[in-house]
């Protein structure tokens, strides 16, 4: 009898995997800015979900739970990368640092601007505008209050507008929404 339950759980998880893997990989890509790491983070998140599948499938919002796992893994990856960059910078501090030419007339890419946002603002903006989640669903995925989602999204969009400048910057939140959604479009949907 236990095998039937195990087979049913496995089939249910497989269906969940097929339905949400690409979305979770896209979320990871937009949160980390690393297309190569997105598949790994989504796979790691789904592996963690599988180990807790009984608890996950009993949850009110299994997809929100999955998004939260991806967000936490992405946060850890970003923090690790920052610490690693600091160590490398200390190691090479005796060398002259190469800086970008501030006079370059190119337009800042939306993904590059997203990477500049602090993690919580980035996560709120991506979930609200690239994934069209409600404030409530975003709050569930990130484990924060709806008020936090509102303020972090508003501040994040304002910061994106500032970072993107006036030359090609979206002026209204609706235009930022479209730019963010496009930045994680077809190329963002891995697998």
């Amino acid at each position: 009898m236990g095998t039937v339950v195990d087979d049913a759980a496995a089939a249910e998880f497989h269906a969940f995997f097929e339905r949400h893997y690409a979305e979770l990989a896209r979320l990871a890509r937009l949160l980390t800015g690393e297309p190569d790491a997105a598949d790994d983070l989504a796979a790691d998140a789904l592996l963690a979900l599988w180990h807790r599948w009984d608890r996950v499938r009993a949850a009110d919002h299994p997809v929100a739970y999955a998004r939260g796992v991806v967000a936490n893994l992405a946060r850890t990856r970003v923090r690790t990368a920052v610490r690693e960059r600091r160590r490398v910078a200390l190691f090479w501090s005796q060398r002259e640092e190469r800086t970008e030419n501030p006079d370059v007339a190119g337009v800042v890419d939306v993904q590059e601007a997203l990477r500049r946002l602090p993690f919580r603002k980035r996560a709120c903006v991506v979930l609200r505008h690239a994934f069209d989640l409600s404030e409530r669903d975003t709050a569930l995925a990130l484990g924060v209050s709806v008020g936090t989602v509102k303020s972090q999204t508003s501040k994040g969009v304002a910061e994106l507008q500032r970072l993107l400048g006036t030359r090609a910057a979206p002026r209204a939140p609706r235009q930022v929404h479209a730019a963010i959604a496009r930045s994680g479009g077809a190329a963002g949907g891995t697998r």
Side-chain angles (χ1 to χ4, degrees):
M1 188 113 190
T3 308
V4 173
V5 173
D6 291 343
D7 288 344
E12 190 178 27
F13 177 77
H14 181 74
F16 183 88
F17 180 96
E18 291 296 323
R19 203 170 33 253
H20 299 289
Y21 177 81
E23 172 192 347
L24 295 174
R26 180 173 169 236
L27 173 61
R29 177 176 177 253
L30 288 169
L31 291 177
T32 63
E34 300 177 26
D36 296 337
D39 288 330
D40 292 341
L41 285 173
D44 289 348
L46 285 161
L47 179 61
L49 293 174
W50 171 245
H51 288 296
R52 295 181 228 131
W53 186 242
D54 286 341
R55 194 175 343 151
V56 173
R57 73 185 210 191
D60 289 337
H61 304 283
V63 176
Y65 187 88
R67 289 179 184 131
V69 171
V70 169
N72 286 333
L73 289 172
R75 179 183 304 117
T76 300
R77 183 171 184 89
V78 168
R79 286 179 178 165
T80 301
V82 167
R83 281 192 302 269
E84 186 176 319
R85 275 188 238 128
R86 285 181 184 151
R87 279 188 235 123
V88 169
L90 284 173
F91 181 76
W92 291 104
S93 64
Q94 296 168 351
R95 291 179 165 229
E96 187 177 317
E97 286 190 30
R98 187 176 142 218
T99 59
E100 288 186 33
N101 184 353
D103 297 326
V104 174
V107 176
V108 177
D109 182 56
V110 172
Q111 289 179 347
E112 187 176 322
L114 277 171
R115 274 181 256 158
R116 290 179 160 181
L117 293 179
F119 183 82
R120 185 169 286 171
K121 285 181 190 172
R122 182 183 333 152
C124 288
V125 169
V126 166
L127 288 171
R128 290 282 292 127
H129 294 290
F131 284 83
D132 289 324
L133 293 185
S134 68
E135 290 165 342
R136 182 178 172 274
D137 289 341
T138 301
L140 279 170
L142 297 176
V144 298
S145 71
V146 171
T148 298
V149 170
K150 288 179 181 181
S151 75
Q152 293 295 296
T153 302
S154 175
K155 291 174 183 176
V157 168
E159 196 166 335
L160 278 175
Q161 289 173 329
R162 184 186 61 75
L163 288 169
L164 293 171
T166 58
R167 194 165 159 212
R171 286 293 205 193
R174 186 175 300 156
Q175 291 171 312
V176 170
H177 170 85
I180 293 167
R182 279 193 310 273
S183 76
T190 56
R191 282 192 202 167

